[in-house]
Amino acid sequence: MRSIGVIFNTNHELHDYMLKGFPSPESPVRLQRIMQHFRDNKVLENNNYKVLNPVSASVQDVLRVHTMDYFSFVQLCSLKGGGWLGNDTYLCEGSLEVLLQAVGSVLEAGKAVATGEHDHAFALIRPPGHHAYADHYSGFCVFNNAAVLARYLQQVLSYPKIAIVNIDAHASDGTQDIFNADPSVLCISVHQDPSHFYPFKGFIREIGFMPAVGYTLNMEMPPEAGNSEYFIFFEEIGLKVIEQFCPDIVILECGFDSYYKEGLSKLNLTMDGYYGIVSSISSKWRTIVLLEGGYHDDIGLLADMVLQALSGNRYTKDEVDQMHLLASRQSSCRRIFESKLNELKTLMSSYWEI
């Protein structure tokens, strides 16, 4: 049986929009729902799961990715009591402490996997990170958790090749910007078509820059896309590219806003979909899962499903009527998906055997 490390940033409630009066779906309720589900269902009593103790990252850890000017801005703003930054992002008086423990928790998860203490790990942290750039915040995100973890694995733990896979409904624009000219990090993002959807980046034609052209892959999923489209993408492109890249470790930016109940997006992944994606990756590579988006009531159930996928021990059934979901789709969804898939295949065939 696989051993799974689980970690939370326990001080996350200090980062709360209610403290500043700015409405935001990215609130403490997200982790509270997960923890309540875990308690109600005794999830962490499973012998495969081991809860790790959170620690705070150092400034040096953050500076492996973010600029000193930007870190100083976040530090000063937080110390002054925080406020609304714009671009759907806020800070509170205690936010810097929360951010450092979130990053530290991610690094602890990475260390547990890299050292062989656990086969995989799941860092249930907030705020999310995949929209954060090296020098600015965006879309609820302040520090880029996946990017800082990738550099930590490379520079401290000597794992040179890292793959980062994003399945949040929104493109992983910050992560890809940080690594778009670095061939040591493969970035794959599968997300809702950004033509009219935040962050309005992450198009198929965005493939990175020299010397890493082809090491950035973006799949634009049409609205209503669900399990079958995701499975086809990973089978025909995603997993093949990861196999050829041959990463030492995979970081999965796991947003739960691609779920069919999510009000902020129009995708149709179900529990089966999340289980299949996580299972297909973690069955082949050591995997560190990071919580990203997801703002609905089933977030705890999906976090449970991710742990089941990582451990290879499924005990929860998907009760969604998937035939109903298929029938309710716009008839154009599959045609648009196939067109975009073929466009990406044609583009990537110059760099990978697809």
Side-chain angles (χ1 to χ4, degrees):
M1 301 292 282
R2 302 175 198 158
S3 173
I4 313 301
V6 185
I7 195 165
F8 304 86
N9 60 322
T10 54
N11 66 357
H12 75 95
E13 293 178 348
L14 296 174
H15 184 72
D16 184 354
Y17 74 92
M18 289 296 292
L19 297 174
K20 304 306 296 182
F22 302 114
S24 173
E26 206 301 292
S27 72
V29 172
R30 301 178 63 233
L31 273 189
Q32 290 166 357
R33 285 175 176 157
I34 293 174
M35 293 174 181
Q36 189 63 52
H37 174 88
F38 283 11
R39 285 191 296 268
D40 291 347
N41 295 276
K42 300 180 179 179
V43 172
L44 297 178
E45 293 183 14
N46 188 313
N47 290 332
N48 294 346
Y49 309 151
K50 173 67 174 178
V51 178
L52 307 174
N53 293 321
V55 299
S56 293
S58 69
V59 176
Q60 181 183 2
D61 291 325
V62 177
L63 295 183
R64 291 192 184 97
V65 167
H66 295 286
T67 66
M68 187 66 227
D69 284 347
Y70 177 56
F71 179 86
S72 297
F73 163 79
V74 173
Q75 182 181 45
L76 183 61
C77 185
S78 182
L79 290 173
K80 287 185 173 181
W84 180 248
L85 304 181
N87 228 358
D88 294 321
T89 311
Y90 65 89
L91 287 174
C92 303
E93 185 175 359
S95 290
L96 180 63
E97 182 181 344
V98 174
L99 290 160
L100 291 176
Q101 194 186 89
V103 172
S105 297
V106 166
L107 300 186
E108 283 296 296
K111 183 168 65 174
V113 173
T115 60
E117 179 183 353
H118 295 291
D119 298 300
H120 308 297
F122 192 1
L124 290 152
I125 46 86
R126 56 171 294 273
H130 68 286
H131 294 310
Y133 288 66
D135 59 357
H136 65 275
Y137 53 83
S138 185
F140 309 147
C141 305
V142 182
F143 293 154
N144 194 302
N145 302 308
V148 175
L149 174 57
R151 288 302 189 219
Y152 175 79
L153 292 169
Q154 290 179 323
Q155 298 177 13
V156 178
L157 299 180
S158 301
Y159 286 87
K161 297 181 71 176
I162 306 298
I164 302 176
V165 180
N166 173 65
I167 58 170
D168 192 278
H170 304 83
S172 186
D173 58 317
T175 308
Q176 292 188 356
D177 184 81
I178 290 166
F179 298 114
N180 61 14
D182 184 349
S184 72
V185 180
L186 172 70
C187 291
I188 297 176
S189 184
V190 193
H191 48 263
Q192 187 171 316
D193 185 344
S195 298
H196 305 285
F197 190 68
Y198 189 86
F200 312 105
K201 297 177 183 178
F203 293 97
I204 287 172
R205 293 283 168 177
E206 297 174 33
I207 62 174
F209 301 105
M210 289 295 292
V213 177
Y215 288 79
T216 293
L217 285 81
N218 285 288
M219 179 60 193
E220 308 165 21
M221 285 291 187
E224 310 303 330
N227 295 357
S228 59
E229 286 81 15
Y230 276 78
F231 292 166
I232 290 169
F233 165 78
F234 277 101
E235 180 180 353
E236 298 191 8
I237 298 180
L239 294 177
K240 291 181 179 179
V241 171
I242 299 172
E243 286 172 355
Q244 291 170 58
F245 179 71
C246 196
D248 297 297
I249 289 177
V250 175
I251 300 169
L252 178 62
E253 295 178 321
C254 189
F256 291 137
D257 49 359
S258 301
Y259 189 56
Y260 76 104
K261 289 185 180 181
E262 176 60 66
L264 298 183
S265 64
K266 295 182 179 180
L267 297 171
N268 276 331
L269 282 182
T270 73
M271 288 193 292
D272 274 350
Y274 277 95
Y275 183 92
I277 294 168
V278 177
S279 180
S280 67
I281 293 172
S282 61
S283 64
K284 296 182 178 182
W285 299 282
R286 286 181 289 179
T287 303
I288 303 157
V289 181
L290 310 185
L291 176 65
E292 291 289 343
Y295 312 95
H296 47 78
D297 292 344
D298 284 357
I299 190 170
L301 184 62
L302 290 177
D304 187 355
M305 182 59 72
V306 167
L307 287 175
Q308 294 175 48
L310 291 173
S311 67
N313 180 27
R314 183 167 185 176
Y315 47 81
T316 303
K317 293 183 179 179
D318 191 344
E319 297 180 352
V320 175
D321 181 354
Q322 294 188 39
M323 293 306 295
H324 173 74
L325 276 183
L326 287 168
S328 69
R329 293 183 188 179
Q330 298 176 5
S331 60
S332 61
C333 173
R334 180 50 70 90
R335 293 196 301 272
I336 296 172
F337 167 75
E338 290 176 348
S339 175
K340 290 182 178 295
L341 187 75
N342 288 332
E343 180 183 356
L344 184 59
K345 280 183 178 179
T346 300
L347 188 61
M348 285 296 126
S349 62
S350 298
Y351 310 100
W352 308 97
E353 294 181 11
I354 299 173

